[in-house]
Amino acid sequence: AQSVTQLGSHVSVSEGALVLLRCNYSSSVPPYLFWYVQYPNQGLQLLLKYTSAATLVKGINGFEAEFKKSETSFHLTKPSAHMSDAAEYFCAVTQLRGSSNTGKLIFGQGTTLQVKP
Amino acid sequence: KAGVTQTPRYLIKTRGQQVTLSCSPISGHRSVSWYQQTPGQGLQFLFEYFSETQRNKGNFPGRFSGRQFSNSRSEMNVSTLELGDSALYLCASSLSGGRPEAFFGQGTRLTVV
């Protein structure tokens, strides 16, 4: 069965430091991949998506992610953390039926990002 | 353009009762999915509807059901509530087809006592 693994349930960085949140997926055919952010008591906000176009994807709020098929990874980065980036981040992939994407998302367990002043 | 709207935002129900949650998707979106979020299990897929038809279903008991109306609005129903049904229920809408990204509502926080 497909799965998504986010390495590190908690990541702590200093304001202005590099943010790196890791995501690996398991499927032989690359699915569509997404990163979402969730602030307390809120829904999920789409940060960026990979849908088989450019492997380096730029999203909102200065975030970007690089799709690496050989590593089955889709890590999220931001060059300089801001206090407002403190939230929970989820990596998600579309469920595959054969080689076709369905409308179902499979989520990782989430990574809580703490930004220290 | 208005986002995904879920009502109500908060609900408190008693064990054994039933509950109906509502979701209005983004205008023009025909696919609506539902997810349950709990601290222990994370985000789990419940079901997806497209053009009033259930297109995909997760591994939840039959107490969880849903439907979609001709205007793409969706409802989710949970019967015979259990304490373990306490969760944040999230609705997502998407255009489907070549635009797979899903946009989420604020969620309905259900507490079963």
Side-chain angles (χ1 to χ4, degrees), chain A residues 32 34 36 38 41-46 49 51 88 90 94-95 97 101-109, chain B residues 9-10 33 35 37 40-43 45 48 55-56 88 90 99-107 109:
Chain A
Y32 293 146
F34 307 89
Y36 285 89
Q38 186 177 35
N41 297 316
Q42 299 292 316
L44 302 177
Q45 181 183 10
L46 180 66
K49 67 182 185 214
T51 57
E88 190 161 20
F90 292 92
T94 46
Q95 179 197 47
R97 278 205 186 116
N101 290 277
T102 71
K104 171 183 174 180
L105 291 175
I106 301 167
F107 286 89
Q109 284 297 101
Chain B
R9 286 293 310 276
Y10 301 93
S33 299
Y35 294 82
Q37 185 178 25
Q41 299 298 316
L43 282 151
F45 173 79
E48 179 202 7
R55 192 158 70 168
N56 209 339
L88 180 66
L90 293 163
R99 299 290 300 276
E101 59 267 36
F103 296 91
F104 284 79
Q106 300 278 61
R109 172 74 63 184

Side-chain angles (χ1 to χ4, degrees), chain B residues 36-39 82-89 109-113:
Chain B
Q36 181 196 65
Q37 185 178 25
T38 59
E82 301 177 359
L83 295 179
D85 297 333
S86 295
L88 180 66
Y89 290 88
R109 172 74 63 184
L110 172 65
T111 303
V112 182
V113 298

